[in-house]
Amino acid sequence: MRERNQKVFSATSFAYMSSKNSLDAVFRLKQYLKSDKVYISKYDFSDYFGSISTGFIEEKVLSSGDFLLTKFEERVVRSYLGHEYIKRDGTSGRRSMGTPQGNSVSLFVANAVGHHLDSSLDKLSGNYIRYADDSVLVNYSYEDAIGAISAYRDFSRDTGVTVNQVKTTGVSIFSQRDEEMRTVSKMDFLGYQFSEGGATISNAGVERIKKRCAQILYESLILYPERHKSLNCKRIDGNRLDWDFVSSIHRLRSYINGPYSNAQLQDFLDGRKRIKALSGCVSYYCLVDSITDFSNLDGWLVWAIKRALTKRAKLIKKYCGNANWTELTSQELISGSWFDRDKFDYDVSLPSFVLALRASKKCWAQHGALGVEKPDDGSSG
């Protein structure tokens, strides 16, 4: 249903489309914001999937003739909208509103319902980006910005979906200077932060990356000995070699760089290697205009690893008292020079956020959205 109706949906709707993704939405928004004076409005709905009126779906999606659906598909959608359920306490009932999440039918229904909001906004001046229930309006006059408010109010009334007042900003001027009305200098959308200086990774995006890296280190180095009060000392070499740490570096590299080593990324940047697509967490941020946040992440990663290794050293001493363990310096960690086992050909140099970003930007320049793959860890949320 989604494939067949892609041409029906608005060009500014980006969620759940095989031909478009969130990076396309970010790229479009960057273009819209390039103007001397911009009025922006952010809108978000509360429990979008769960609160859509079933009557609205029946009338405006299934019976309207606006979408290309077979009779069988209509019956399938209706079965999802009115399914029976049993709660954990044993009581049962039948769904009377919303569409259940976790299936492809709900993705089509969400886009089809949102299409009616898109149709109203398409009739107004200005531009907008909608990604499921999250949208940004960009207008170039205050009158046009105010006109969009009624479109959201009518949509909320007709569908039963309420506007999230916490995440909805109302009309503001997008500027670094104080203007004649409420002014915002920064705006977050889909993991990016936009300002007059360009696009950067949002603070929430930085925290998600840090959280995942910290989780990898904790799972690899701390979790097992703390939980089970023991440690496999066979994985500890007397001369500063911890195979669990080697494993954690490979996991971090896979998360940050995707399947490529630092040397392979550098070869790609120097024109000695061809890469069609990158899949690490950094690849999603190929549209940022500054490397500062990623340089800071490189420094943070060294700090986080040293902190984890300090705790790991205490556990090694506790459970493997004979191990001659010495903590690694920052330079040894970055370069991987501490690993001097000739019989093992392992690259243990730390992955670099800046290097991955440079490679991602080149992939975007060469292949567009096909050159970067959105990570599955929620980094763009």
Side-chain angles (χ1 to χ4, degrees), residues 180-200:
E180 66 272 15
M181 58 175 289
R182 181 171 56 183
T183 306
V184 294
S185 59
K186 297 178 181 179
M187 174 187 63
D188 288 0
F189 187 64
L190 298 179
Y192 278 76
Q193 185 175 92
F194 298 88
S195 67
E196 282 192 348
T200 60

Side-chain angles (χ1 to χ4, degrees), residues 63-318:
S63 303
S64 65
D66 292 341
F67 300 96
L68 305 174
L69 301 174
T70 67
K71 294 297 181 182
F72 173 75
E73 289 167 345
E74 291 177 8
R75 291 198 299 272
V76 170
V77 173
R78 288 189 179 98
S79 71
Y80 274 98
L81 299 181
H83 66 83
E84 292 184 79
Y85 60 84
I86 299 178
K87 295 183 179 179
R88 292 184 178 181
D89 60 6
T91 60
S92 61
R94 184 176 293 275
R95 175 178 287 274
S96 59
M97 64 185 299
T99 175
Q101 296 188 55
N103 60 81
S104 59
V105 168
S106 66
L107 302 183
F108 167 75
V109 171
N111 265 350
V113 170
H115 175 70
H116 292 274
L117 173 62
D118 299 340
S119 298
S120 298
L121 294 173
D122 283 337
K123 299 173 184 176
L124 303 174
S125 299
N127 300 293
Y128 70 95
I129 300 289
R130 186 176 66 81
Y131 194 85
D133 60 337
D134 194 5
S135 54
V136 175
L137 276 71
V138 180
N139 300 100
Y140 306 106
S141 74
Y142 181 70
E143 291 74 15
D144 292 335
I146 291 298
I149 295 177
S150 61
Y152 278 86
R153 182 177 60 244
D154 294 345
F155 178 75
S156 178
R157 179 197 64 217
D158 295 340
T159 61
V161 181
T162 59
V163 174
N164 187 329
Q165 298 297 333
V166 175
K167 295 183 179 180
T168 299
T169 63
V171 180
S172 305
I173 296 180
F174 186 63
S175 175
Q176 297 292 120
R177 304 172 299 278
D178 289 334
E179 301 285 351
E180 66 272 15
M181 58 175 289
R182 181 171 56 183
T183 306
V184 294
S185 59
K186 297 178 181 179
M187 174 187 63
D188 288 0
F189 187 64
L190 298 179
Y192 278 76
Q193 185 175 92
F194 298 88
S195 67
E196 282 192 348
T200 60
I201 182 175
S202 67
N203 292 335
V206 171
E207 291 306 312
R208 277 191 292 271
I209 289 176
K210 287 183 177 181
K211 182 178 179 180
R212 179 56 184 148
C213 290
Q215 182 183 22
I216 290 173
L217 291 170
Y218 179 74
E219 290 174 349
S220 301
L221 304 176
I222 310 299
L223 177 61
Y224 185 89
E226 281 196 342
R227 176 176 292 178
H228 299 281
K229 308 302 180 184
S230 66
L231 197 153
N232 185 359
C233 298
K234 293 181 179 179
R235 294 183 62 80
I236 307 297
D237 188 292
N239 190 19
R240 303 195 305 174
L241 177 56
D242 181 350
W243 286 106
D244 288 335
F245 178 48
V246 173
S247 176
S248 72
I249 293 176
H250 284 282
R251 290 183 64 189
L252 286 169
R253 181 181 299 122
S254 178
Y255 174 63
I256 296 169
N257 291 2
Y260 300 103
S261 67
N262 288 353
Q264 289 173 317
L265 293 183
Q266 190 61 58
D267 285 344
F268 169 62
L269 290 170
D270 293 339
R272 295 189 297 268
K273 180 179 178 61
R274 184 181 180 187
I275 294 179
K276 291 184 177 180
L278 286 177
S279 58
C281 70
V282 179
S283 66
Y284 178 70
Y285 297 100
C286 58
L287 294 176
V288 300
D289 297 304
S290 170
I291 68 169
T292 301
D293 290 320
F294 295 88
S295 178
N296 292 337
L297 279 170
D298 277 337
W300 172 86
L301 183 61
V302 173
W303 171 84
I305 290 175
K306 292 191 70 173
R307 185 180 180 186
L309 288 179
T310 297
K311 193 165 187 177
R312 175 76 170 181
K314 293 178 181 178
L315 293 170
I316 291 173
K317 185 176 181 180
K318 182 177 181 180

